[in-house]
Amino acid sequence: LGLPIIIGLGTAISLLATQQYNFDGVYSCGIASYPLNCHYNKDIPCTRAPNAEYILSGLFIYVLACFAVIIIFLSMLLCKVRKQDAESERYSCEYLKGVKGEGRRSNPVAFQSLRYLTAFF
């Protein structure tokens, strides 16, 4: 699905067209107002990107929402696999009831979900 690429390019191009990228006071250019820190000093008017703080806050909230969606869906997947494990254990034959079978599928799924999450964080 190309939705993340479309959102990223759309945001980047629109910010570039409205001159939101300026020197951010550290080492690089980013979304910042010009002159630097003009919204802290009321005597200096912001000539470019007067709303840079709001844009950065919005992008930060968007990233947190994406992480929350990933965590929620992985948790739902893990619950579904655990439920399926419990049902398959319940319907297994008497011969296999005492055999180590608990978490046969849910433990690898949980481990894979944790690896997937750590790749994003």
Side-chain angles (χ1 to χ4, degrees):
L1 189 67
L3 190 61
I5 295 172
I6 293 170
I7 291 173
L9 281 176
T11 304
I13 291 170
S14 66
L15 290 174
L16 184 63
T18 57
Q19 297 181 341
Q20 302 288 327
Y21 293 115
N22 299 302
F23 180 66
D24 61 2
V26 184
Y27 294 111
S28 63
C29 291
I31 300 171
S33 56
Y34 182 81
L36 190 60
N37 296 329
C38 64
H39 38 280
Y40 297 122
N41 189 352
K42 298 299 178 191
D43 298 333
I44 303 172
C46 292
T47 57
R48 295 192 322 193
N51 54 355
E53 288 181 341
Y54 300 118
I55 294 171
L56 285 173
S57 299
L59 289 175
F60 182 71
I61 290 171
Y62 176 74
V63 168
L64 286 181
C66 289
F67 283 139
V69 167
I70 290 170
I71 291 170
I72 288 169
F73 281 118
L74 285 178
S75 300
M76 289 171 55
L77 173 69
L78 183 60
C79 288
K80 180 70 174 175
V81 170
R82 282 193 177 165
K83 182 179 173 186
Q84 223 173 16
D85 258 354
E87 286 184 15
S88 67
E89 189 72 24
R90 188 175 70 181
Y91 291 117
S92 66
C93 63
E94 291 296 322
Y95 172 74
L96 295 175
K97 288 275 186 188
V99 177
K100 179 185 166 190
E102 279 189 39
R104 187 174 29 200
R105 279 184 284 168
S106 61
N107 288 339
V109 168
F111 184 64
Q112 182 66 30
S113 298
L114 286 175
R115 286 190 286 177
Y116 186 72
L117 281 176
T118 55
F120 282 107
F121 293 117

